[in-house]
């Protein structure tokens, strides 16, 4: 019944599809190795008895929209052969006391039987930098965050929190997460790589398309570049059947 609480994402991407700095790619590969190595490390080597009582793998993805957080979650799911469920935290959080925890508990209970990766998107709706507690609402928000982190740690599977604003996260919370991956906004060389990598080879392409100019002039994240290519393809399909620079600029 997990599909009634979250959206199942079919993994479509591979390592070759994502353009990230080497440091971030290294951490993502470490996550895959950690999940695969749990039986040996925790059970055979006895690490689980003394040092790591929980089998869960908790991950933070932080970065601006369109920089590859959801794509990376899909790549992890594909590599590990696990289902990926995306939960929009902004729909889970309730203004009524106790309701947020009930919603989260339902998700984790259903997930326990499926061994899925839980991808909590829009974590900004729940996370906030803990400052001075000025009223009961602030105090209660901290309780919700603590509940989520405890539940993530107790879950035997993989959970990913995605946020657009790393600066808003309290360090006390980020310390409880096993991995943290910062997704940077792509600079010009990475933007050029994104344009060239994600432009489908099957699209008829005019000779006037200049990816170097597009990467230099337009400061766009990968998600925006993807949307531009899709819309340009539709424009071209109704206008001669070849994608030209004018379609992309439009």
């Amino acid at each position: 019944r997990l599909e009634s609480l979250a959206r199942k994402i079919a993994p479509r991407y591979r390592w070759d599809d994502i353009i990230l700095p080497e440091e971030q790619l290294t951490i993502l590969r470490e996550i895959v190795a950690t999940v695969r190595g749990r039986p040996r490390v925790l059970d055979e080597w006895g690490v689980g008895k003394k040092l790591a009582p929980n089998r869960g793998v908790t991950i933070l993805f932080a970065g601006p929209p369109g920089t590859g957080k959801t794509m990376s979650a899909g790549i992890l799911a594909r590599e590990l052969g696990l289902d990926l469920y995306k939960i929009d935290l902004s729909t889970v959080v309730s203004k009524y006391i106790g309701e947020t925890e009930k919603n989260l508990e339902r998700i984790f209970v259903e997930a326990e039987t499926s061994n899925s990766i839980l991808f909590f998107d829009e974590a900004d709706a729940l996370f906030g930098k803990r400052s001075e507690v000025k009223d009961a609402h602030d105090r209660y928000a901290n309780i919700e965050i603590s509940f989520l982190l405890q539940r993530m740690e107790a879950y035997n599977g993989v959970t990913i929190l995605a946020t657009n604003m790393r600066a808003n996260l309290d360090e006390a919370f980020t310390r409880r997460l096993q991995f943290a991956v910062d997704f940077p906004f792509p600079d010009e060389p990475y933007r050029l790589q994104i344009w060239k990598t994600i432009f489908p080879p099957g699209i008829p392409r005019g000779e006037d398309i200049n990816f170097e100019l597009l990467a230099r002039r337009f400061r766009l994240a990968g998600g925006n570049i993807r949307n531009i290519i899709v819309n340009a393809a539709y424009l071209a399909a109704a206008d001669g059947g070849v994608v030209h620079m004018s379609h992309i600029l439009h």
Side-chain angles (χ1 to χ4, degrees):
R1 293 189 294 274
L2 193 55
E3 289 195 23
S4 65
L5 305 166
R7 182 163 62 91
K8 187 174 182 179
I9 296 179
R12 295 179 293 154
Y13 302 108
R14 303 175 183 273
W15 291 116
D16 294 342
D17 295 317
I18 193 158
I19 308 300
L20 285 173
E22 194 56 42
E23 181 184 346
Q24 280 74 5
L25 289 173
T26 299
I27 299 172
L28 291 174
R29 289 193 170 98
E30 281 179 15
I31 292 169
V32 172
T34 298
V35 177
R36 284 183 176 151
R38 283 184 301 177
R40 170 179 284 183
V41 172
L42 297 178
D43 301 329
E44 291 178 30
W45 293 358
V47 172
K49 292 179 181 176
K50 289 190 175 182
L51 303 179
N54 301 314
R55 301 181 69 89
V57 178
T58 54
I59 305 158
L60 175 72
F61 283 175
T67 49
K69 298 187 292 294
T70 302
M71 181 187 273
S72 295
I75 291 170
L76 294 181
R78 188 184 190 117
E79 279 290 302
L80 295 166
L82 298 172
D83 289 333
L84 175 66
Y85 284 93
K86 185 175 182 179
I87 300 108
D88 188 342
L89 263 178
S90 61
T91 63
V92 172
V93 174
S94 172
K95 64 181 179 180
Y96 299 107
I97 288 180
E99 281 300 309
T100 301
E101 286 91 335
K102 284 181 186 174
N103 293 338
L104 290 169
E105 182 64 25
R106 283 172 60 214
I107 290 167
F108 281 105
V109 166
E110 289 297 334
E112 290 287 359
T113 61
S114 65
N115 194 28
S116 303
I117 295 179
L118 295 180
F119 181 66
F120 289 95
D121 201 16
E122 302 292 340
D124 313 86
L126 192 58
F127 273 84
K129 190 143 191 167
R130 280 190 301 186
S131 54
E132 181 185 355
V133 176
K134 295 176 182 174
D135 57 27
H137 184 270
D138 292 343
R139 189 178 300 112
Y140 192 72
N142 289 340
I143 294 171
E144 290 178 342
I145 298 161
S146 298
F147 177 85
L148 175 59
L149 287 174
Q150 287 167 11
R151 204 61 187 82
M152 284 173 66
E153 288 173 342
Y155 176 56
N156 280 335
V158 180
T159 45
I160 303 170
L161 280 178
T163 177
N164 296 334
M165 296 178 285
R166 173 73 183 265
N168 285 4
L169 299 188
D170 191 308
E171 281 304 309
F173 297 140
T174 53
R175 276 200 305 271
R176 290 172 63 179
L177 297 159
Q178 204 167 342
F179 293 95
V181 187
D182 283 305
F183 289 77
F185 196 93
D187 54 18
E188 186 181 326
Y190 284 106
R191 291 198 294 271
L192 177 58
Q193 231 180 318
I194 292 169
W195 275 107
K196 289 181 174 179
T197 300
I198 70 175
F199 200 98
I203 294 180
R205 183 191 311 181
E207 292 183 5
D208 59 341
I209 290 181
N210 187 337
F211 289 134
E212 286 78 9
L213 175 67
L214 292 167
R216 186 169 64 252
R217 272 190 64 186
F218 301 107
R219 196 170 178 273
L220 299 163
N224 301 116
I225 292 172
R226 180 194 62 217
N227 293 340
I228 288 165
I229 292 171
V230 170
N231 289 336
Y234 279 115
L235 280 175
D239 179 29
V242 176
V243 175
H244 289 285
M245 193 71 168
S246 58
H247 298 123
I248 293 174
L249 290 171
H250 177 81

